[in-house]
């Protein structure tokens, strides 16, 4: 497959077509390309909120895949999720239209400017969203390409006129190795997506080491010193690159002390090399967001912003869509949705929920049989902070077939053994909705969790309430 843009075509590319334009990553790049003045078209299997927004911006969105959709395109962009037999991919090959992976397109945008690439098992979307919002509110006018919509901004992407490009660096399929950033962030490292690394955690860690080695000379690696696997990487950082650490439990350049949780807020004091910079307040809860804010502070100060500007801007951050997103509060029942789909994320999100001092009913939809298989035991121990746990059937794409012995029912049995006796299995969303309508009481927090479509339950529950 031709996956490079011939240099002689660079200046002649006017029309870019995206296969699967409705995904968060693809739609973000498409949005930036529209803002930059390119003619943008794309296709997806169904209309979505993001495709509607792109259409309003001027992109031509086709519903359904067909060879004629790529007519007139100078370049076709695809993602890992697009099957190899896709008719638009085949048509592009037949017509010798250059093909490029989503990550390569993002790499071109990020590598040509001062790229800020945020990698890690957890926190990528929130941290990159925080950085983008703080830089925008502080007048840095960044370009940003985020894997989730920033609440209050109403978009996951924007083409700015400033020097910086902020983006998530996705390790799931190794495509983050397309990036050569000015500032690289690594929030944490965990054995996830191992199906793309031959089932070998060492291969994943090797990829992270390579990512850090690709920071441009004179740039910076901003890394969490509380994560043991991240600490292992530090010797791999080039001597031509500054290493900036942040953390809470261990010595680091940026640390948080005097942490003060509140109801859907958290405040703390920031130290830089032991000296107080001042207090910082977040309008989102949880210790995990303290880490995200420390990373944001380190990046933004490295980019030349003052701590005072960061404090003023960051309090306006209300989260990214599907990251502890408050759907509504009805009859004193708080309904929240979260993308947490890994055991560590579940634990961190439930810990944040606990700070609201409400009874927590957690509805979790596992995503992918492979992830559930590799992390079965970890999932079973992740729900101790919930008062009640509901597990629904595993949500998995077509390229992730069922694995014998891996099921939602078995996960419920293990949860009862390892973290929460009050767990139950309900197979479908209709059953969950009916149960929640009868079980949820004033003062409760109902939280839906997962990377699939479980968010629909949260939205429908609010309607029913």
């Amino acid at each position: 497959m031709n996956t490079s843009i011939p240099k002689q075509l660079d200046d002649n590319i006017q029309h870019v077509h995206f296969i699967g334009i409705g995904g968060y990553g693809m739609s973000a790049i498409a949005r930036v390309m529209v803002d930059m003045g390119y003619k943008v078209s794309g296709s997806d299997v169904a209309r979505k909120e993001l495709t509607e927004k792109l259409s309003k911006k001027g992109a031509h969105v086709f519903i359904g895949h067909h060879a004629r959709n790529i007519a007139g395109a100078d370049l076709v962009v695809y993602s890992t999720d697009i099957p190899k037999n896709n008719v638009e991919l085949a048509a592009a090959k037949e017509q010798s239209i250059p093909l490029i992976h989503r990550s390569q397109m993002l790499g071109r945008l990020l590598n040509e400017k001062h790229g800020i690439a945020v990698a890690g098992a957890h926190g990528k979307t929130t941290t990159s969203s925080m950085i983008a919002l703080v830089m925008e509110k502080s007048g840095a006018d960044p370009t940003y390409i985020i894997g989730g919509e920033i609440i209050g901004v109403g978009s996951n992407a924007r083409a700015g006129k400033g020097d910086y490009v902020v983006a998530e660096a996705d390790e799931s399929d190794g495509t983050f190795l397309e990036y050569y950033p000015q500032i690289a962030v690594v929030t944490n490292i965990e054995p996830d997506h191992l199906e793309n690394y031959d089932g070998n955690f060492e291969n994943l860690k090797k990829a992270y080491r390579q990512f850090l080695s690709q920071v441009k000379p004179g740039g910076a690696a901003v890394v969490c010193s509380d994560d043991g696997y991240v600490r292992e990487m530090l010797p791999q950082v080039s001597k031509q690159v500054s290493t900036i650490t942040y953390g809470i439990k261990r010595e680091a350049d940026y640390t948080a002390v005097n942490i003060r949780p509140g109801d859907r807020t958290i405040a703390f004091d920031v130290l830089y090399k032991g000296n107080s910079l001042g207090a910082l307040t977040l309008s989102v809860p949880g210790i995990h967001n303290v880490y995200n804010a420390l990373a944001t502070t380190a990046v933004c100060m490295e980019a030349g912003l003052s701590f005072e500007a960061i404090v003023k801007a960051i309090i306006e951050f209300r989260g990214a869509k599907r990251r502890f997103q408050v759907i509504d509060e009805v009859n004193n029942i708080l309904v929240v949705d979260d993308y947490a789909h890994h055991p560590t994320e579940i634990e961190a999100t439930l810990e944040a929920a606990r700070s609201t001092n409400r009874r927590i009913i957690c509805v979790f939809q596992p995503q992918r049989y492979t992830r559930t298989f590799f992390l079965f035991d970890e999932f079973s121990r992740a729900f101790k902070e919930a008062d009640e746990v509901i597990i629904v059937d595993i949500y998995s794409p077509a390229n992730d077939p069922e694995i014998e012995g891996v099921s939602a029912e078995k996960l419920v049995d293990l949860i009862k053994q390892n973290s929460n006796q009050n767990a139950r299995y309900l197979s479908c969303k209709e059953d969950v909705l009916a149960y929640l309508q009868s079980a949820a009481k004033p003062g409760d927090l109902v939280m839906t969790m997962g990377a699939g479509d479980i968010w629909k339950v949260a939205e429908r529950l609010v309607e029913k309430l």
Side-chain angles (χ1 to χ4, degrees):
M1 185 181 291
N2 179 12
T3 58
S4 61
I5 303 176
K7 191 66 180 172
Q8 66 270 23
L9 281 182
D10 276 11
D11 295 334
N12 297 324
I13 292 173
Q14 296 179 358
H15 178 183
V16 183
H17 181 83
F18 292 81
I19 307 175
I21 197 169
Y24 272 114
M26 291 285 269
S27 66
I29 299 172
R31 166 70 184 264
V32 167
M33 299 296 283
V34 169
D35 287 349
M36 292 172 68
Y38 288 90
K39 180 180 179 181
V40 170
S41 63
S43 58
D44 215 305
V45 294
R47 291 199 182 279
K48 306 172 183 176
E49 185 180 353
L50 289 171
T51 59
E52 291 299 310
K53 288 183 177 181
L54 280 169
S55 295
K56 288 177 181 176
K57 288 288 292 183
H60 189 172
V61 178
F62 301 95
I63 302 305
H65 299 296
H66 197 283
R68 63 175 175 266
N69 294 348
I70 69 167
D74 302 310
L75 177 68
V76 172
V77 184
Y78 67 98
S79 70
T80 303
D81 292 334
I82 301 301
K84 293 180 180 178
N85 62 353
N86 178 277
V87 291
E88 294 178 22
L89 272 181
K93 291 179 199 174
E94 289 170 11
Q95 298 173 39
S96 299
I97 299 174
L99 283 160
I100 188 169
H101 188 273
R102 175 194 62 79
S103 62
Q104 293 172 306
M105 189 71 251
L106 175 55
R108 293 180 68 80
L109 296 170
L110 186 140
N111 297 341
E112 290 173 5
K113 297 184 86 172
H114 292 321
I116 299 172
V118 182
H122 323 295
K124 289 188 294 291
T125 299
T126 302
T127 303
S128 52
S129 297
M130 247 187 215
I131 293 168
L133 181 130
V134 169
M135 294 188 87
E136 185 173 353
K137 296 288 184 184
S138 302
D141 198 15
T143 294
Y144 55 86
I145 299 164
I146 310 294
E149 208 167 303
I150 306 173
I151 295 172
V153 174
S155 177
N156 60 335
R158 177 180 175 273
K161 295 183 173 62
D163 293 332
Y164 286 96
V165 177
V166 184
E168 289 183 52
D170 186 7
E171 86 290 352
S172 65
D173 56 1
T175 54
F176 68 155
L177 298 183
E178 295 289 341
Y179 312 140
Y180 292 80
Q182 184 73 23
I183 301 175
V185 180
V186 178
T187 59
N188 39 59
I189 299 172
E190 289 208 20
D192 197 7
H193 306 291
L194 295 184
E195 67 275 12
N196 295 322
Y197 291 90
D198 299 324
N200 189 336
F201 187 30
E202 289 303 318
N203 290 339
L204 176 60
K205 290 193 285 185
K206 182 179 178 182
Y208 273 105
R209 287 194 290 271
Q210 179 65 34
F211 171 70
L212 283 176
S213 76
Q214 293 177 183
V215 178
K216 292 176 181 175
V222 176
V223 295
C224 181
S225 61
D226 284 0
D227 186 283
Y229 297 125
V230 172
R231 290 198 303 275
E232 287 179 16
M233 308 285 151
L234 298 186
Q236 308 299 319
V237 179
S238 167
K239 301 301 181 188
Q240 296 178 287
V241 169
S242 301
T243 299
I244 302 170
T245 58
Y246 67 93
I248 299 172
K249 301 173 184 175
R250 300 177 67 92
E251 185 178 343
D253 295 319
Y254 289 87
T255 54
V257 296
N258 192 22
I259 298 171
R260 306 175 292 282
D263 180 9
R264 286 173 267 172
T265 66
I266 196 161
F268 53 95
D269 299 328
V270 180
L271 305 183
Y272 176 65
K273 296 189 174 179
N275 298 311
S276 177
L277 292 177
L280 193 153
T281 301
L282 301 178
S283 301
V284 288
I287 294 294
H288 62 295
N289 278 317
V290 175
Y291 282 104
N292 297 334
L294 286 173
T296 297
T297 301
V299 167
C300 290
M301 292 192 74
E302 178 68 14
L305 298 184
S306 69
F307 183 71
E308 290 72 24
I310 295 166
V311 169
K312 185 177 178 181
I314 207 166
I315 197 168
E316 295 188 44
F317 180 74
R318 305 286 172 180
K321 196 168 184 179
R322 300 216 62 216
R323 272 68 178 182
F324 210 95
Q325 181 185 359
V326 175
I327 305 301
D328 210 339
E329 185 172 354
V330 185
N331 302 328
N332 197 23
I333 298 172
L334 183 64
V335 182
V336 174
D337 177 60
D338 198 277
Y339 191 72
H341 58 284
H342 185 282
T344 303
E345 294 170 342
I346 293 167
E347 288 183 278
T349 305
L350 288 175
E351 184 180 341
R354 179 57 61 200
S355 68
T356 66
N357 294 316
R358 291 170 175 260
R359 187 175 78 104
I360 301 166
I361 303 175
C362 173
V363 182
F364 177 62
Q365 180 187 51
Q367 191 223 22
R368 291 187 176 272
Y369 285 93
T370 46
R371 176 181 288 117
T372 310
F373 171 76
F374 281 119
L375 300 173
F376 228 115
D377 185 67
E378 290 88 341
F379 274 120
S380 75
R381 300 178 188 279
F383 294 93
K384 61 181 180 296
E385 289 293 342
D387 295 289
E388 190 170 344
V389 181
I390 300 167
I391 305 294
V392 301
D393 281 333
I394 296 170
Y395 179 95
S396 208
N399 63 357
D400 185 66
E402 292 186 26
I403 298 174
E404 187 176 351
V406 176
S407 69
E409 297 100 311
K410 185 174 179 182
L411 179 56
V412 167
D413 291 339
L414 279 174
I415 291 170
K416 287 181 175 179
Q417 289 178 35
N418 293 334
S419 66
N420 199 313
Q421 284 282 339
N422 199 9
R424 71 182 68 226
Y425 163 70
L426 294 174
S427 63
C428 67
K429 299 183 194 69
E430 292 301 327
D431 290 346
V432 173
L433 195 60
Y435 177 79
L436 291 174
Q437 282 181 261
S438 63
K441 304 291 188 248
D444 286 354
L445 189 164
V446 177
M447 172 172 282
T448 54
M449 276 189 186
D453 61 357
I454 195 64
W455 56 270
K456 294 177 181 178
V457 169
E459 295 197 344
R460 289 189 61 197
L461 178 63
V462 165
E463 292 171 7
K464 296 287 187 182
L465 290 174

